[in-house]
Every structure is written in C-alpha cells, then in structure tokens.
Amino acid sequence: MPSEPRHAPFRMPERILAELAAGGGSAEAVAFLERAERARRLLLLRTLLDRLDALSTPLSSAAEAWGVLKEAAAAAPGPVDRLLLAPATGGWIAHLLRRLHGTASGPPLWAEAGHLCALAVAASLRAGTRADLRVPLTDGTLPLPGLGLARLAAAKQGLTVGRARTGEGELLLSGPGRAGVPVAATVRPATRPLSAPSAETPAWLPLRTLTHRTPDGPVGIPLEDLDPYRDLDDPLPPARLDLDEARTWQRLFEEAAALLAVPGGDGPGRFDVREIRAVVPWGRTTTLPPAPPTVSVSASSGDSFGAMVIARPSCGTALAETLVHEFQHSKLAALLHLFPLLDDDRRERYYAPWRPDPRHLTGLLHGAYAFTGVAGFWRDRLAAARDARAADLAGYHFALRRLQSRLVVRTLLVESRLTAQGRVLVTGLARTLDGWLREPVPSAALGRARTAAALHRTEWRLRNVVPARAAGPAELRFRRDRTSWPDVRTHAFATRPAVPRTADEHLAAGDAEAALARYAGVLADAPAEPHALAGWIVARTILEPGRAARRTLARPEELL
C-alpha cells in the first residue's frame, strides 16, 4: 500500500478489452480490473484524507490513523493492501465522500470518519505492529474490518469514545462502562472458516469465511455479516447469522463453486469463485422460515468490487447463477471507472426485459452484460445436462436470457451514442449472443422461453406506456400512475406444468386455446387487468399469427 502515486500510464491491452467485450474474461483480465480499482481506491482515499484534516473529532486524527496504516503496510504490505482494497472499505470511502458532499446521511460525521481508526487498528493487528488510537464505539463494540467485531461487556450504550492498543497481534480495547467505571477486554482477533470450531467469545465475534477448496489449497471468502459498510449505501448494525444458517451458506457455496468449475475456457458465465471478495447475506439470519428456491434479492456496487449482497436461496444452482450475475456487474462497473462507454442523459425510457420499470441506457448496459453472463451459465448447464428434464430447464433459461439480452444489445446499438470502447463492448456482446442464437435448444423449452419473453414485454407496455396511436417507438410517454409489479412468469414458465389449471399454466404447457379462454374469463370482469390482458394478447398471437395480431403485440397499450 505505497502512499506515493504511481506515474506509469495505466492502459488496457486490446486483448483484455476483447475478452471482456465478449462477456467473459480470463483471470488476467479480472486481475487487470482489480489493479485499476486499486488505483482508483487510493485516489479516492487520498481525496478523503485531504478533506478529513480539518474535521474536529474526539478520536485520533486522520493523520495519526494514516501513520499507523503506513507503518503496518511497511511490515506486511500484502495483508494491509487487501484490507484497503476490501469491498467494505470501498463502501466506507464512497459513503463518507457523499457525506462530505451533503448527499448522504448517517451518525455523527466524526464517528463515520473514525472508521479510519478501526481500519488502522485492523491493519496493525494484521501486521503485528504497535498502535494506540482513540476509536469510535457503538454500544461498546468496535468493528475490525476483515477480522470481526470486538465487544466490551457492560459497556455504556450509544456512541462513545474508546481506546484501542495493539501489539504482536493482540488488542486491548477499553471504553466507558454503564456504571461510570471503565471496562476493558483483551482479544487476539482472527477470522474463522465455517468448518472450524466456533471461536466466538463474549469479547470477540470473528468474521466467518466460506471455504472453497482448490488444487492450491483452501481459499476463504468473507461471509460478511458484521462490517457496518458491507451494504450498498448507509451503514448497518451487525446482523450475525446463527450457526445453522452460516453452515447452510457454506453448503450452498460449495455446490455453487462446483457448478462454476467448468473446464475449457473463461467465456461468459464462467469465473473462478476465488475472485469474489465478499458475500453479504441479506434479509435473514436463521434457517427459518425456509428459503425460496430462487434468489429474491441480489445487488452489487461499483464502489465495492467483487462483493455481492444476496438473499440466500435453498438451491446451489440459484446461488451460482446469482454469483455470475453480480460478478458481471462488478466487471462492468470497473470498466466504467476506466473510461466512459456511452453518453447517457439518465432518462428512464427504455424497455429492460428483467425490470418492471423503464430504464436509462447505463442500466440497460449493466443488464445486458449481467444477463449475457447468466445466459452463458445456463448454456454450460445445458451442455452438462444428463437427462431430458435437466436439458429442458437449462434450455429454457439459456434461450430466454440470450433472447432478452440480444434485444437490449440491439437497443444500445440503435439508441445510444457509444464511445469507441463502448462500441467494442456492445458489438462484442452482440457477436457472442448472435452465435448463441444459432445453437440448438430443446423445442419445448424454446417455445416457453419465447412465450415468457413476449409476455413480459407485453405486460411491461400495458403497465407503463400511455396509449398514443400516432406516436413512434422513440416517442413513448409513460403512465404517471405506474407502480412496481411482480414478474411471476419468468420462473413459472421454466418448467412445463404436468396438470395445468390456470391460464398461465395452460400457456406454459403449450395449450394456447385453453389459456385464451381462461384469460377471457378474467377479462370479462376486469377488462384492463394487465396480467390477464398480456396473456390474452400473447395467446391470441400464437393462435392467429397474422399481421393484426403482431401489430397488437408490438403496441398492446393501444387496446386500453
């Protein structure tokens, strides 16, 4: 972690841009992006330090904390570098810069700025150096990034000032107690793989790691439930997973890693899970109630390269798909930090097949890049399928995501003003997807995928677009009363119902006539109900594939 700037020009080789433009990326390409993120992170940190010099604080100053970090980096450059490049550190830097610019809120500014002291303490512990810093405590706890959470028993509640002294990897933490008498605890922090016996004590919660076994030995990936800056924006309190829930994460992660260990290349949908920098559980801390089979929420941030916030599913395949999806976002965010890819006025007016609302061009680009990776993931599942049922499921998801991604790539090529690098990227995605569109998929799966894609677009227009019979596609006007709506069909159409009952199930089973009749029954009572109307339009188009039906499918809102 040298504090001096590097003066060598930072240029991306054309072959690496070509790899990333195809939707994939070798280990060399990912390492290049991470080096670029390192340079950006240090520039942002330098900017932050310049702003913190004048901040009034009861804690040790930013200059003192930085001095501790530099001393630790001299003794153990690798571990300290990884600490400063950890996703949560990036989240803290970005959040604090927003606070300094007045675009974010949180606890007292001195306390958030004091997270630099916690980073310095963690660096000192990693390096085995000595330090003595005044640090912020919340209810007697001190988060140590990359290590865990130190806790003082009987500490004064709320935000207080404590003292952290380190030496030879040991921490002595002290602070005010509830009875007005100081309290203290001594801990020797270390992370713990989930396979190891628990090391939790009243004074110490270790950061757990998901273990991935490789030919080079086990690799630990943080299962981050403690760091206050693990989320995408505002700081969060710790949300410790119970042991059974954490072990379930380990089991699913092992299943996901095994699925992603596909030999023979590094194209879209393939990456080494060792490139993940943190998995952040979202929304649940126990195994009850049972998790759904699919991932209900996932997200990532350009400020936190390699981290992903995920609501745990009950299925390793769903987790693997989401890891691919979110890592694609991380790669594209790193590219956007290097150079602009398109000129975006940020107006939300374009159709995205995976969203309920209109999106801007940058959102379209992120979606196309992420779902090209998802399509590649399912392409590999189709190639590895051992029976007709597995081939049908994988074929559906592959066919659906390649079709949707290609539609969005076409929008980007037609509607956006791409930079030179942006054109390389988008045309690279187009070449990948065009090649995939020629690959065979089980016919039943292909039919359901096409139907599901048409249903989503039709319902999207019914719910979002104002009827304007004389308007062209570029003149869309959007409803002021539009609201979010659930996309229940994408996953519902993934398998063919054995005994169809509802209109959607009949359509998924290939019986458009039965589906049409049932949709008509719903519309008799609610003529403008968007879900049923979308189904009726698509079913009618399947039964009567003429010009009039296609015209209605293109602009279904004209029926309203």
Side-chain angles (χ1 to χ4, degrees):
M1 184 212 66
S3 58
E4 299 80 10
R6 295 186 175 186
H7 298 290
F10 202 87
R11 295 190 179 95
M12 174 176 280
E14 289 184 9
R15 72 179 186 282
I16 288 182
L17 180 57
E19 287 180 15
L20 295 167
S26 62
E28 180 188 8
V30 173
F32 181 92
L33 293 177
E34 198 158 31
R35 289 197 303 275
E37 287 296 291
R38 178 188 190 279
R40 177 179 181 271
R41 182 74 56 83
L42 292 177
L43 284 171
L44 291 175
L45 187 56
R46 181 70 266 167
T47 301
L48 182 60
L49 289 172
D50 290 342
R51 296 290 300 272
L52 293 181
D53 280 344
L55 179 67
S56 176
T57 176
L59 309 174
S60 295
S61 68
E64 289 178 83
W66 186 246
V68 170
L69 274 162
K70 288 181 68 174
E71 182 182 355
V80 177
D81 209 43
R82 287 192 292 275
L83 174 65
L84 286 182
L85 298 179
T89 304
W92 167 70
I93 293 172
H95 173 76
L96 194 55
L97 286 171
R98 287 193 291 269
R99 292 232 30 204
L100 291 168
H101 285 92
T103 58
S105 59
L109 185 58
W110 63 264
E112 292 215 82
H115 190 69
L116 181 63
C117 295
L119 281 165
V121 171
S124 177
L125 290 165
R126 289 281 195 189
T129 57
R130 293 189 174 277
D132 188 344
L133 294 172
R134 296 185 304 280
V135 296
L137 302 178
T138 301
D139 299 332
T141 66
L142 175 67
L144 293 174
L147 292 172
L149 185 73
R151 305 183 291 186
L152 294 174
K156 183 178 179 180
Q157 297 299 287
L159 186 61
T160 60
V161 177
R163 184 178 181 185
R165 285 170 284 184
T166 66
E168 298 180 350
E170 189 171 82
L171 168 68
L172 173 59
L173 180 65
S174 58
R178 293 175 190 166
V181 178
V183 292
T186 300
V187 297
R188 183 171 286 275
T191 61
R192 301 290 292 187
L194 282 162
S195 57
S198 174
E200 294 186 6
T201 69
W204 179 243
L205 282 180
L207 175 66
R208 294 167 173 151
T209 58
L210 298 167
T211 303
H212 171 52
R213 295 170 180 81
T214 74
D216 302 323
V219 175
I221 295 161
L223 182 63
E224 183 57 83
D225 57 1
L226 298 174
D227 195 291
Y229 298 96
R230 64 190 183 276
D231 197 39
L232 304 184
D233 192 10
D234 294 334
L236 294 174
R240 189 61 159 177
L241 307 184
D242 69 28
L243 189 55
D244 286 342
E245 173 71 358
R247 286 173 174 164
T248 301
W249 268 102
Q250 174 62 44
R251 175 179 59 79
L252 293 176
F253 187 77
E254 288 180 306
E255 293 175 10
L259 284 173
L260 293 170
V262 178
D266 42 40
R270 301 177 184 180
F271 78 105
D272 190 332
V273 295
R274 287 178 291 185
E275 293 162 350
I276 299 172
R277 296 293 169 255
V279 172
V280 181
W282 185 90
R284 56 184 303 121
T285 56
T286 69
T287 55
L288 295 175
T294 58
V295 173
S296 58
V297 174
S298 72
S300 53
S301 167
D303 297 320
S304 307
F305 182 83
M308 43 203 74
V309 178
I310 301 174
R312 178 183 68 77
S314 60
C315 167
T317 301
L319 179 58
E321 178 188 12
T322 303
L323 295 177
V324 168
H325 180 112
E326 296 304 336
F327 198 71
Q328 290 286 101
H329 281 306
S330 278
K331 290 191 298 180
L332 183 60
L335 276 175
L336 285 165
H337 289 159
L338 284 172
F339 31 65
L341 298 174
L342 49 76
D343 183 10
D344 186 3
D345 61 11
R346 309 296 287 188
R347 286 181 59 197
E348 297 182 330
R349 60 187 187 275
Y350 298 104
Y351 171 62
W354 32 79
R355 296 275 304 203
D357 52 345
R359 293 293 282 158
H360 47 64
L361 289 168
T362 302
L364 284 192
L365 183 61
H366 261 287
Y369 199 75
F371 279 100
T372 296
V374 170
F377 170 80
W378 286 108
R379 178 173 177 258
D380 286 336
R381 306 285 75 71
L382 178 59
R386 296 182 178 179
D387 54 48
R389 183 177 179 181
D392 181 80
L393 179 65
Y396 167 82
H397 286 293
F398 172 47
L400 178 65
R401 296 314 189 187
R402 72 183 182 183
L403 176 63
Q404 292 176 328
S405 298
R406 188 60 181 90
L407 175 64
V408 171
V409 165
R410 180 183 181 278
T411 301
L412 289 166
L413 288 170
V414 171
E415 298 288 340
S416 61
R417 287 178 289 180
L418 298 166
T419 66
Q421 294 89 352
R423 187 155 294 277
V424 169
L425 180 74
V426 177
T427 55
L429 292 178
R431 278 193 296 272
T432 294
L433 294 163
D434 286 344
W436 288 352
L437 285 168
R438 293 190 288 269
E439 295 183 1
V441 170
S443 59
L446 181 60
R448 294 198 312 279
R450 288 173 173 169
T451 300
L455 286 165
H456 186 280
R457 181 187 177 278
T458 303
E459 187 168 353
W460 183 91
R461 289 189 71 103
L462 290 171
R463 291 182 180 273
N464 288 289
V465 179
V466 173
R469 290 163 181 78
E475 302 173 68
L476 290 185
R477 292 185 297 119
F478 294 105
R479 300 171 61 104
R480 296 186 179 213
D481 62 345
R482 67 182 188 269
T483 58
S484 185
W485 49 280
D487 174 19
V488 298
R489 283 166 164 149
T490 291
H491 288 289
F493 275 62
T495 57
R496 187 182 189 278
V499 183
R501 294 182 178 85
T502 67
D504 278 357
E505 288 173 351
H506 278 287
L507 196 55
D511 190 347
E513 188 172 358
L516 188 68
R518 283 162 175 78
Y519 289 130
V522 175
L523 294 172
D525 296 325
E529 201 286 308
H531 185 86
L533 184 55
W536 184 88
I537 291 169
V538 172
R540 178 171 169 267
T541 303
I542 293 171
L543 292 170
E544 304 173 14
R547 180 177 297 179
R550 290 196 301 273
R551 188 181 301 118
T552 302
L553 191 64
R555 295 189 181 183
E557 67 277 6
E558 300 302 330
L559 289 181
L560 298 175

